[in-house]
Amino acid sequence: MYDDVKTRMSIVGGDLEHFLVVMGLHHGSSHSSILFALVIDVLSRHIQGKVPWCILFVDDIVLIDETRSGVNARLEVWRQTLESKGFKLNRTKTKYLGSEFSDRTHEADVEVMLDAQVIPKRASFKCLESIIQGNGEINKDIAHHIRAGWMK
């Protein structure tokens, strides 16, 4: 996530020497996610759309558009903005959910892409403990919440 990034700490006695940042977001620390969210919010404030068209949650970004070509355009803006600041979008974790809510047959051949890589389509994904399905159904989400209830 970082390339040759240096930082230093300020303490009561003054500033410490600069040191290389060799680890990305540390998922075990509550401070890491808050600091990361603040940095991403500031770096991307000028390209963020209004909720629900753009949602940031710690190190996840949800981009929503009515067309695949619109998603491609928004994804490219995010890629360029983040890479210009030394960040990278994870191409192996990036997925998209296509909905079947509207009849957009003219875009059937448009692929969602990040740079030159095709992004795989998912039938559903989990976001904030809810399962969202592209076909508009809620059966997977209900089953998930029932299982979670029985586990408790």
Side-chain angles (χ1 to χ4, degrees):
M1 181 171 204
Y2 304 100
D3 287 331
D4 300 321
V5 175
K6 291 184 180 182
T7 190
R8 67 179 174 179
M9 295 176 59
S10 294
I11 59 174
V12 176
D15 294 336
L16 298 177
E17 294 295 319
H18 281 93
F19 59 91
L20 284 173
V21 176
V22 294
M23 180 187 303
L25 181 62
H26 182 72
H27 289 280
S29 168
S30 61
H31 296 335
S32 292
S33 58
I34 293 168
L35 291 173
F36 183 82
L38 288 171
V39 169
I40 286 297
D41 185 47
V42 170
L43 290 178
S44 64
R45 185 161 289 155
H46 67 286
I47 61 170
Q48 291 178 26
K50 296 188 185 227
V51 173
W53 301 100
C54 176
I55 303 169
L56 290 121
F57 184 74
V58 188
D59 61 345
D60 293 326
I61 303 167
V62 178
L63 299 176
I64 300 172
D65 204 286
E66 294 178 353
T67 64
R68 288 185 207 153
S69 55
V71 170
N72 280 333
R74 290 154 90 31
L75 195 55
E76 182 59 20
V77 168
W78 274 86
R79 183 192 69 78
Q80 288 176 0
T81 301
L82 293 176
E83 287 182 359
S84 73
K85 304 296 184 192
F87 291 91
K88 295 178 185 173
L89 288 176
N90 189 329
R91 283 157 170 76
T92 59
K93 289 186 177 181
T94 302
K95 308 280 187 272
Y96 89 95
L97 177 73
S99 71
E100 309 301 327
F101 303 141
S102 63
D103 185 26
R104 297 209 183 262
T105 55
H106 65 279
E107 278 215 326
D109 58 341
V110 175
E111 297 282 353
V112 175
M113 300 183 75
L114 179 57
D115 220 359
Q117 181 180 339
V118 175
I119 302 299
K121 183 178 180 179
R122 302 278 308 262
S124 64
F125 72 90
K126 189 174 180 180
C127 179
L128 299 176
E129 296 303 317
S130 291
I131 296 176
I132 301 167
Q133 294 175 240
N135 61 6
E137 295 180 5
I138 61 170
N139 53 347
K140 287 185 182 180
D141 190 45
I142 291 170
H144 168 72
H145 285 289
I146 290 171
R147 278 193 304 277
W150 280 108
M151 298 279 286
K152 290 182 182 179

